Amino acid sequence: MQLQSLALAALFGALALSPSAYAEQIKIQNVHFDADSNQLMVKAKIDGHHHRHDSAGDAYIEIVDAANPGFVLSALHTPKQIHSKIDAATLAFMPCQVGIVVNGDEANMAIADVKNVQGSCGGFAATLVGLVTDEPIPYATVSVTLNGNTFTTVADENGAYSLDVLTTNIEQLLLIESSAINSETGDSIDFVNLVGSFSRVLSEDDPINVTNLTTAKYSLVLEANGGVQPSTVAELEQAETAVDATELFQLAAIIKLIVDDPNYQLPDGYDSILDFIADGAAVDTFVASTPSEALEQALADILADTNLVAGFNVADVPSLYYAISTTSPGYMARSGSALEFDNVAMTGTVLSFQQWNGQAINQAFSWQVANGRIEVVYTAPLVTDELADSIEYVTDNQAEIDAYYAGGGATDMFITHRSLVQRAYTRVVDGSLVDVVSVESRSQISTPPILLNDGSTLTIAQPKISLEHTTQNFRANYDISNIPFAIGCSEGDTCVSGLWAGQYHYSEGPRVYDDYVFPTTAYADALQFAANGTVSGKISTANANWLVDSDGRLVITYPDGTTQTSQILDKQGIELGVFSVFENAGERYAVYDIWVKGDANLQLGVSELQPSTPSSFWVGEINSWLPGSVDAMGLLSYERLWGWQFSAAEVQNTFASSDWSAPDENGLSSLSFYQHAPVPFAVTADYVSISRFPFARRYWFPINSQLVDGDRVFYVVEREVRDGEAYGRAPGYRTFIPARINIERERDMADYLNVAR
């Protein structure tokens, strides 16, 4: 696409073509906008001695937008005089200057300013080119509507299209729509691509294909945006963060089967692909009746088709990619990492962090782009610790699997060590903010001896080679506008002074169930930022210094020399998505999580903890952001309904114990809830303490509260400690759950009883 600023192009045209070059041929006498008739008036005269005539003796005249001569405002045949009245309602915008072209001779176009223009004039033009393809779809109608004006063309026999469009609003979102008929099934093939802002289109030269993937993404963007099309870049980017790549791939594979394979077609009752894939129940039925091998092959075909996936060139790879996890709509992500690329030395670094054990990740790699994929080889494969509860995850040896079950399995999860060797990244969708990337990882999984419930020990003889296919959402650093932290203020969601829930540099001490000591890395804390530039943690009791740099990033400097540089990437209500990089003498790692500014007036006492109704309880949403946690009705999956119901002096651990029941004779389903025996809790000036078990205590450090969709919500920094004696260790409380930021939302069990699903 080519950027054409109308005023600039007209200026350049005027400079390149002096009036004397065309004065003898065309004399423009008057060009003005008449508000009473809403018409553009053009009056001009042609010198008949110098222009060519057509066979009828008249010159062919085109009145054009001077900045974009290809966009004709009016055309006529005349021997000499031009008196044209152009209805302004038919124009995409009012041009700043018009040009008059005689017999196609643009080199000698006459130009004049439009007088009496009300408001602004001029706009921007682009030529969109690309393919309508799943396999190429011939003769599809392609259209774009901007400012109420629809521009239309027809693709050729290979599905290729070229479409000239105009707009006055450079930030307007551009939606390309296409339609065709499947000649074998008679089904409508309606594909779309919500490209992003017009300014983005103007700044990039890549073809814009309209495909099964772009159509699937559009459907999921609508779902994430409350069922309506985003109208601004901010709305589009927020919706993109909630597009689940796994669901995107499934929908794209379904579309491919319907369009390409004569054995599949739109289900009865649907005459539109978009309508069908927006119906979750209908999609589930289609998937259930389709062999998984067919869907897997369709997806493999999609990923192998360079006309469908965006792919990478070396020049496309940014210096920094943020890999921020996908969320359920309405939630913010709780994890992320960073990939740094040097496209001269062809080296890079992964910066990440494992919260559950405090493992900092700084992993160097070399890379290349081959067949559109970023192929990464790690210089020194990093070993990361994981918790597993499945023997099949760590071994394929049937004798070892049988021995595990014969020994009664393991009561607790067991530790494994993953050594990541290689990765390959395929960019599937190039989004406005979020790029959807398919990731292929090759790892070795080794497992220390596992203590089984019968007292025996199982030894896994050989590491398991793991080849995994996952997805990630990437954001290029050049697509992100950081939200600045504020200083010199006393209140506000980004004002540093005051109480915060955020990440801090300290150690959680020894872990209760083994001899592991948490390293000094990044854990949540209730932080108090003083206006004098100091900060301290309520859990860590550690002190540090802080400032805000010229880029609006919060920089914390610790006594051991570590610096923490935190920048706000996302904001949703009072929740901030913050990316922090920790550095000390060449050691670097990074963490992404929610931060929340505290409310100094928050009271989280006995009365505030009481339920609003007898069936209400507080549900911890530490994992509710994961895709698939919230259904189409806005109800949580049963695994996420886990929390606490308070009385005046006691609290009961309350949770859904099983999935939805089969529908009864009235078509209604319910969840079953279970409550543990009541246990005591205590409220202090700094925290709420729940005596979860005789050997376990959970702490909540209150931060803030608000109403979200009518539900009471409060934010806490949460941790749990347990007595080592219960785990065969010396008596004394040690960390069981490292400090983290949790969101407690009041949910009503009655909402999950007798529901028509």
Side-chain angles (χ1 to χ4, degrees):
M1 279 72 63
Q2 182 179 2
L3 172 60
Q4 295 178 325
S5 169
L6 303 194
L8 286 176
L11 175 62
F12 294 152
L15 291 175
L17 185 64
S18 66
S20 62
Y22 57 76
E24 292 183 340
Q25 290 189 337
I26 309 166
K27 294 180 179 179
I28 300 179
Q29 298 163 318
N30 186 21
V31 180
H32 73 279
F33 172 68
D34 184 79
D36 293 334
S37 63
N38 196 35
Q39 290 178 323
L40 175 64
M41 306 294 193
V42 180
K43 183 178 180 180
K45 179 181 178 181
I46 305 172
D47 184 342
H49 295 291
H50 295 279
H51 73 265
R52 299 193 319 265
H53 293 275
D54 63 10
S55 58
D58 291 345
Y60 179 61
I61 305 300
E62 293 173 300
I63 303 172
V64 302
D65 172 12
N68 299 277
F71 291 97
V72 179
L73 309 177
S74 180
L76 64 152
H77 288 85
T78 182
K80 191 170 185 179
Q81 298 291 335
I82 300 172
H83 294 280
S84 186
K85 300 179 180 180
I86 304 169
D87 187 356
T90 66
L91 303 179
F93 54 82
M94 183 60 61
C96 297
Q97 295 179 311
V98 299
I100 296 180
V101 179
V102 179
N103 293 322
D105 185 11
E106 289 186 12
N108 288 312
M109 176 176 63
I111 298 173
D113 293 337
V114 179
K115 300 176 181 178
N116 301 331
V117 174
Q118 296 182 335
S120 61
C121 64
F124 299 88
T127 300
L128 312 178
V129 296
L131 291 174
V132 182
T133 183
D134 177 284
E135 293 291 337
I137 299 173
Y139 309 116
T141 299
V142 181
S143 64
V144 170
T145 299
L146 296 165
N147 304 121
N149 299 286
T150 299
F151 307 92
T152 303
T153 189
V154 176
D156 66 16
E157 68 276 11
N158 299 312
Y161 76 91
S162 176
L163 178 61
D164 296 328
V165 295
L166 283 166
T167 184
T168 57
N169 181 2
I170 200 169
E171 294 306 318
Q172 184 174 9
L173 297 185
L174 188 145
L175 175 69
I176 303 175
E177 301 176 273
S178 73
S179 62
I181 298 297
N182 190 319
S183 59
E184 295 188 6
T185 65
D187 285 339
S188 171
I189 305 174
D190 49 329
F191 283 1
V192 295
N193 186 350
L194 184 57
V195 180
S197 69
F198 201 87
S199 61
R200 180 191 182 204
V201 172
L202 293 171
S203 65
E204 297 182 357
D205 293 324
D206 296 331
I208 304 177
N209 295 345
V210 189
T211 72
N212 46 35
L213 280 166
T214 63
T215 303
K217 181 195 170 187
Y218 177 75
S219 180
L220 295 176
V221 162
L222 260 61
E223 178 185 342
N225 198 51
V228 298
Q229 181 177 311
S231 59
T232 66
V233 172
E235 288 182 356
L236 172 59
E237 292 179 348
Q238 181 62 45
E240 283 185 346
T241 66
V243 171
D244 178 22
T246 301
E247 189 174 1
L248 170 71
F249 288 173
Q250 183 184 74
L251 291 181
I254 290 171
I255 295 171
K256 187 167 184 65
L257 287 178
I258 291 173
V259 173
D260 288 353
D261 192 330
N263 295 314
Y264 299 92
Q265 60 187 78
L266 282 171
D268 292 340
Y270 297 92
D271 55 12
S272 160
I273 287 174
L274 279 170
D275 289 344
F276 164 56
I277 63 174
D279 187 334
V283 169
D284 290 343
T285 300
F286 186 96
V287 171
S289 62
T290 302
S292 59
E293 296 81 4
L295 289 168
E296 291 168 2
Q297 185 58 54
L299 178 56
D301 292 341
I302 288 171
L303 295 178
D305 190 337
T306 56
N307 288 325
L308 296 177
V309 300
F312 285 106
N313 294 312
V314 172
D316 296 331
V317 181
S319 60
L320 176 63
Y321 248 142
Y322 296 102
I324 309 297
S325 300
T326 309
T327 68
S328 282
Y331 289 86
M332 291 188 67
R334 303 297 304 267
S335 66
S337 58
L339 285 81
E340 298 174 325
F341 293 93
D342 182 334
N343 63 5
V344 176
M346 302 304 286
T347 57
T349 307
V350 177
L351 301 177
S352 188
F353 176 72
Q354 289 196 137
Q355 194 272 345
W356 74 274
N357 67 351
Q359 183 176 8
I361 296 174
N362 181 338
Q363 191 171 15
F365 58 79
S366 60
W367 64 281
Q368 64 175 351
V369 173
N371 299 318
R373 304 195 315 170
I374 300 176
E375 296 183 346
V376 165
V377 176
Y378 295 100
T379 307
L382 179 71
V383 179
T384 58
D385 291 343
E386 298 180 335
L387 290 177
D389 59 3
S390 167
I391 187 63
E392 289 83 3
Y393 178 73
V394 300
T395 180
D396 293 323
N397 185 304
Q398 192 59 49
E400 292 172 348
I401 294 172
D402 292 343
Y404 177 84
Y405 290 111
T411 300
D412 294 319
M413 292 188 289
F414 48 89
I415 293 177
T416 68
H417 305 301
R418 175 182 290 270
S419 178
L420 181 62
V421 180
Q422 295 174 320
R423 268 195 175 140
Y425 299 94
T426 301
R427 183 168 58 172
V428 179
V429 174
D430 181 7
S432 180
L433 172 67
V434 177
D435 294 347
V436 178
V437 177
S438 175
V439 185
E440 182 180 283
S441 304
R442 181 180 179 85
S443 305
Q444 285 188 339
I445 299 175
S446 58
T447 307
I450 303 171
L451 179 63
L452 303 180
N453 284 329
D454 67 356
S456 64
T457 298
L458 174 63
T459 299
I460 305 300
Q462 297 292 331
K464 180 179 178 179
I465 303 299
S466 173
L467 187 63
E468 296 179 319
H469 292 85
T470 57
T471 58
Q472 284 187 311
N473 282 0
F474 280 7
R475 306 183 200 176
N477 56 337
Y478 51 69
D479 285 334
I480 293 175
S481 298
N482 296 330
I483 302 169
F485 281 96
I487 56 175
C489 49
S490 58
E491 59 183 19
D493 296 341
T494 62
C495 181
V496 177
S497 293
L499 177 67
W500 281 87
Q503 272 60 52
Y504 206 50
H505 180 65
Y506 68 101
S507 171
E508 275 275 1
R511 190 162 57 192
V512 67
Y513 51 81
D514 58 15
D515 296 323
Y516 182 81
V517 176
F518 290 94
T520 301
T521 51
Y523 306 94
D525 204 343
L527 304 172
Q528 190 67 46
F529 287 84
N532 66 359
T534 61
V535 55
S536 58
K538 289 189 176 182
I539 297 172
S540 66
T541 69
N543 295 305
N545 297 313
W546 69 271
L547 58 83
V548 173
D549 68 12
S550 59
D551 293 322
R553 302 177 301 180
L554 175 64
V555 181
I556 301 175
T557 303
Y558 297 92
D560 67 355
T562 298
T563 60
Q564 172 185 346
T565 303
S566 300
Q567 59 191 56
I568 306 170
L569 302 186
D570 302 297
K571 187 176 188 299
Q572 182 172 294
I574 66 172
E575 299 173 19
L576 305 177
V578 177
F579 198 91
S580 299
V581 177
F582 293 78
E583 301 179 78
N584 189 351
E587 293 297 321
R588 302 170 66 233
Y589 64 96
V591 59
Y592 175 92
D593 207 339
I594 290 175
W595 286 43
V596 178
K597 179 66 184 295
D599 177 4
N601 298 316
L602 174 63
Q603 298 292 321
L604 195 57
V606 173
S607 60
E608 287 78 19
L609 293 171
Q610 303 309 301
S612 298
T613 71
S615 56
S616 294
F617 68 115
W618 296 105
V619 174
E621 299 197 328
I622 186 69
N623 291 318
S624 295
W625 62 275
L626 297 173
S629 296
V630 183
D631 66 19
M633 301 174 66
L635 300 175
L636 286 177
S637 62
Y638 83 96
E639 302 97 332
R640 305 292 179 238
L641 287 164
W642 193 99
W644 308 90
Q645 187 177 56
F646 288 83
S647 63
E650 295 180 312
V651 59
Q652 289 180 275
N653 190 188
T654 303
F655 52 91
S657 58
S658 61
D659 207 346
W660 292 93
S661 64
D664 62 16
E665 65 275 9
N666 298 314
L668 303 179
S669 300
S670 299
L671 291 182
S672 296
F673 286 86
Y674 181 80
Q675 290 187 297
H676 284 159
V679 297
F681 74 95
V683 175
T684 74
D686 287 329
Y687 56 79
V688 176
S689 172
I690 299 172
S691 297
R692 184 178 174 192
F693 302 117
F695 56 86
R697 296 174 186 168
R698 180 164 293 207
Y699 293 93
W700 286 346
F701 292 80
I703 301 295
N704 209 328
S705 66
Q706 63 173 343
L707 287 176
V708 178
D709 299 330
D711 297 323
R712 293 195 300 162
V713 175
F714 62 82
Y715 299 83
V716 298
V717 176
E718 172 184 71
R719 67 190 297 259
E720 185 169 313
V721 298
R722 296 188 176 186
D723 191 339
E725 193 170 14
Y727 293 84
R729 298 293 194 271
Y733 284 92
R734 300 179 179 89
T735 300
F736 181 72
I737 299 176
R740 61 193 187 184
I741 298 166
N742 205 349
I743 304 168
E744 298 289 333
R745 185 191 301 244
E746 191 173 39
R747 299 277 183 174
D748 195 336
M749 287 179 274
D751 293 337
Y752 296 84
L753 302 177
N754 299 318
V755 177
R757 295 178 56 81

